[in-house]
Amino acid sequence: MGKIALAIHGGCGVMAKLGLTDAEWEAARVDLGHALNAGWAVLQANGSALDAVQAAVVVMEDSPHFNAGYGAALNAAGEHELDASIMDGATLEAGAVTLVRRIRNPVKAARRVMEKGDAVLMGGSAADDFAEAEGLDIVEPTYFTTEKRVKALAAMKAHAAAGTAAAASESEKHGTVGAVALDAAGHLAAATSTGGYNNKPVGRIGDTPIVGAGTYARDGLCAVSGTGKGEFFIRYAVGHEVASRIGYLNETLEQAASEVIQHDLKPHGIGAGLVAVGADGSIAAPYNTDGMFRGWVTPEGNFFVATHDEVFSLGAARGGVSS
């Protein structure tokens, strides 16, 4: 069996350390561990990178601690508009959904769009209807709403009224979840899901459902999932840019990922981060904010999660954290 590797992120919009209780921090770390377990179980069973990233993202979509699925951000109208995408590095096939309101796990709908092959990106009510016709779990929009996001929307509206939106904390602004993986056959995959940013304009579409921006995977190079101010990820085609630097400049994964986050994006004063896995099993997770929810499993099977600079070891390949 060839090398396998997995990395995830839960968004670079991490609360300040004093903004959550120890219990809330622990709960978020536990759910990161569950996501790693879900993806790693697929890879260890000789499953595909595509199945692994989907499994990991579904766990985070179902967790209230991250801005995707249950617990997603609210737009300016106080409603949810969700985005997700997935990409297969072996074939460059991809699928995405945007502005969906009723799909419990948008990443599953993105996968189904990819498999159908009639489109790469579907949006709005048509995407909701497509997912329902495909037998995916459909919920009422209120399912996604949590008290934390309601408070964050109120905070952002207050910032907007006062003209201080730029000074809002990263956690008040945005967040995303994503996963990247390398499977035993040498194939790469990436998946990303988000509720966008709090108080976003109705109908706004960020980088998450844009293949090559928030999500990209190409065998022999890398798989990338991004988090941050999506408009800049689109302008810089961040996922594709990381892969291109590896392919054309022979940079390492760490060099390419760091150059894009710390050099290209940082001067714009926007929060940005990503996780990436290389064709050799290397892992990179650069960010330019106070923190980023992230986790990874090395090819040797060692589990790690982190929020800010502190990294927590969850043990070896027997499985990370317990329920």
Side-chain angles (χ1 to χ4, degrees), residues 198-289:
N198 296 304
N199 202 36
K200 66 181 179 178
V202 175
R204 176 263 187 185
I205 300 170
D207 65 302
T208 291
I210 306 301
V211 173
T215 302
Y216 192 71
R218 186 164 188 159
D219 277 11
L221 295 176
C222 64
V224 180
S225 175
T227 171
K229 183 65 171 175
E231 284 70 18
F232 289 88
F233 278 67
I234 294 171
R235 295 173 195 173
Y236 280 89
V238 164
H240 188 271
E241 179 69 9
V242 173
S244 296
R245 296 188 71 92
I246 294 170
Y248 300 143
L249 299 178
N250 293 316
E251 291 184 345
T252 66
L253 181 73
E254 182 66 37
Q255 288 172 331
S258 294
E259 182 70 16
V260 173
I261 296 298
Q262 306 296 359
H263 183 266
D264 292 348
L265 296 181
K266 191 171 184 178
H268 294 285
I270 55 102
L274 62 82
V275 292
V277 167
D280 60 354
S282 57
I283 294 170
Y287 59 95
N288 62 20
T289 57

